[in-house]
Amino acid sequence: MIEYFTEEGSAKAVNARMGDTVNPRLRTIMASLIEHLHGFIKDVELTEPEWETAIDFLTRTGQICSEHRQEFILLSDTLGVSMLVDAINARRPQGATENTVFGPFHVDGAPIREMGETISLDEKGESCLYEGRVLDLQGNAIEGAMLDVWSDNIDGYYDVQQPDLQPKWNNRGRFVTGADGCYSFRGIKPVSYPIPDDGPVGQMLALLGRHPWRPAHMHFMLTALGYQRVVTHTFAVGDEYLTSDTVFGVKASLLQTFEHNKSGATQWKAEFDFVLVPG
Ligand code: BEZ
Ligand code: FE
C-alpha cells in the first residue's frame, strides 16, 4: 500500500524512501536523525516563523565560516555536542588522563623546543613553569611522547587571532620526553577568555542568558607510539568560570593548582602528570 505523508507517520514516510543499497551505518544514523528531528518538531509544535528563524540561523552560521572561523564547531561546542561525542569515543580506564574539547585554535607544526624552553615569545603575562611526567597506567615513564601545547596570551587571545599583534607561534610549542618521561617548559599563567561571540553562536548564547567565557586553561595534545592520543587541557584552580565553561570542557581530573615558584625562576609553577592508555 502507498504510504503518503501524514503528520503522524511523517518520519516513517521519509525513512521509507531510503534505497535498499544504502550504507548500513548511514541508514542507522539517518533513520534515527529523522525520527528525533520529527519528534522534536512535534514536541514543540514548531511554528512557521520559528522554522524560518532556524533556517536563517543556520544560513548565517554557514556564511560566517571561513578559513579562520568554524562557527558550526562553535555551535557544537556550546550545545555540549563536541564533549558528548568525545565522551563516547574516548572512554578510558580509571587513572588515565581524560580528554576535553579540542577547540579551534590548534595549529599543526608548532616549533619543537628543548625541555625547559619558553613558549612565551612576547614575554607578556605572569611567567609559569609547567612540569610533570608522561606515564603509562602502571606508572612507568613513556619515552618519546610528544606534548603539543598552546595557550592564549595575557589579553585572552591566541596568536592566530592577532597575527599583527603577536609573534607567530606565541604561546605554542612541542616537546618530546626523554627516558625519564619528564617534561618542563615555561609559559604564562593562562587567563579566562570569551569564545568568539560576534556571530550567530554569540547571539544564541545571549538569547539563552549564557555567557561566552571559558575558564583559564593550558591546551595539551599528547601523542606517543603505541598509545591513544590525548587531547586535553589543564584548568586553573580558582578560576571564576570553572563551573560554567561555555563549552562544558571542565573535568575534575583536569584541575591544576598554580603555586608561587619558590626558586624565583618564574612567578608560578604548575605540575601535572599525564597517564596514557595503550592503543
Ligand atoms: C579553546 O579552548 O581554545 C576553545 C574551545 C572551544 C571553543 C572555542 C575555543
Ligand atoms: Fe583555549
Side-chain angles (χ1 to χ4, degrees), residues 221-233:
M221 178 161 69
L222 289 101
T223 45
L225 207 62
Y227 294 90
Q228 285 177 25
R229 185 178 83 157
V230 170
V231 174
T232 198
H233 329 331

Side-chain angles (χ1 to χ4, degrees), residues 30-41:
M30 286 307 294
S32 178
L33 176 67
I34 295 296
E35 282 286 347
H36 284 86
L37 189 58
H38 285 228
F40 148 71
I41 290 165

Side-chain angles (χ1 to χ4, degrees), residues 156-196:
Y157 293 103
Y158 291 84
D159 59 351
V160 287
Q161 294 176 287
Q162 297 186 312
D164 300 330
L165 293 178
Q166 294 189 45
K168 192 168 163 64
W169 304 118
N170 194 29
N171 294 310
R172 295 177 191 275
R174 288 186 292 167
F175 299 86
V176 181
T177 57
D180 59 4
C182 291
Y183 73 88
S184 74
F185 65 93
R186 284 173 294 131
I188 60 168
K189 188 170 185 273
V191 299
S192 41
Y193 64 86
I195 62 165

